[in-house]
Amino acid sequence: QRAVMDTIPYSRVFYHAFPGSIIMHRGRKYRIESMESPPPFVGGASFGPCGCSNLIAFAKPTSLQYSTQALSINEITVVKKIKHAELSTDCEGETSRKSPDNGKQKQEVGKNEQPPKIERAGAVAVAGNGVVTVKRTVHGYKKLSHVNRKELSRTTISLPPMEFDTYALWIDADAAYLKDVIFNFDGGVHALSHAMVAVAPLFVPCTSSDIDCDHSRYDCTRILLYDQRAGGSGVTAQLYNFLVQLLQAAVDLLEECTSCYSIKGYDGGCPACLQSVPCDNFHQDLSRSAGIRVGKHL
């Protein structure tokens, strides 16, 4: 009947309403039959049958006994650095470790966000904020059984990438050192990123739909939070002023979640902590214990 069922944010539409996907709406199951092709960039030329700027997906009721899960590739590139903090080797800090080459200790210190006029020897940028380009491509989906959630098959689809510029903050995860000493380091970075998004409303008025994080699961080198609105909404710019408190609150959330402690042998978090925010990878490869260790080190 061409009735409007619901609206989905542009940044997440291909994860939920790609052609062939199974969605639930008010207790009924629907299958997405087709979709109007979107522009490659947000704010590009108008499209659709009436020249409007809305992306339209068409769904029909179905009784299929499986669910779907999108397969995607995300790329986040820093294009402009506005502020940054540094790690210096010539000041005494709270945490330290011995360097493998000369035995000297490497300390972490807080620096002014403004870059110094004279570059100190050994100073390395470890955190910052600025403009990033987010590029998301959904290249297929897999069908999952309703009975045991096992994968039934995979299907390849061709959709144009969604690309937009926004504001972000990032922290170097010190992967060169921690990857060899923390088991499941990548899962820990992913978990800590989820926790930081979950506690962000404690410092800045926002919800999980306003900001998101980098959900990379392999070769993680940084924690990155960005505004989901194209062009930025100012949330991460404000969060950067509470960076240390944000990290501490995220570690506290991971340590003090009573629901997770009641399940022995499970390290993937729960809806009260890690799974309280949307995840492009559907909450896979999360490690709460590794996230605690990474967070305390940072």
Side-chain angles (χ1 to χ4, degrees), residues 9 13 33 60 66 71 74 91 94 100 108 184 201 235 250 258 269 277-278 283 289 294:
V13 62
E33 300 293 335
K60 288 184 178 180
Y66 63 81
L71 302 173
N74 294 345
C91 296
E94 182 179 353
E108 295 181 5
N184 197 5
V235 175
T258 55
V277 299
H283 304 294
S289 59
V294 173

Side-chain angles (χ1 to χ4, degrees), residues 251-262:
V251 174
D252 293 342
L253 175 67
L254 296 176
E255 283 187 316
E256 299 173 2
C257 181
T258 55
S259 300
C260 293
Y261 280 120
S262 61

Side-chain angles (χ1 to χ4, degrees), residues 39-114:
F41 291 89
V42 173
S46 61
F47 59 96
C50 303
C52 60
S53 58
N54 291 325
L55 178 61
I56 304 173
F58 300 94
K60 288 184 178 180
T62 183
S63 58
L64 295 173
Q65 298 301 310
Y66 63 81
S67 59
T68 54
Q69 191 174 99
L71 302 173
S72 63
I73 299 176
N74 294 345
E75 299 178 8
I76 303 178
T77 306
V78 177
V79 296
K80 182 180 180 180
K81 184 187 296 184
I82 298 177
K83 295 180 180 180
H84 75 279
E86 291 181 352
L87 179 74
S88 177
T89 58
D90 56 355
C91 296
E92 184 177 356
E94 182 179 353
T95 61
S96 64
R97 67 167 181 266
K98 292 185 178 180
S99 175
D101 51 353
N102 56 9
K104 292 183 179 181
Q105 290 185 335
K106 187 176 182 182
Q107 283 85 13
E108 295 181 5
V109 299
K111 287 284 293 178
N112 193 323
E113 289 133 357
Q114 298 296 331

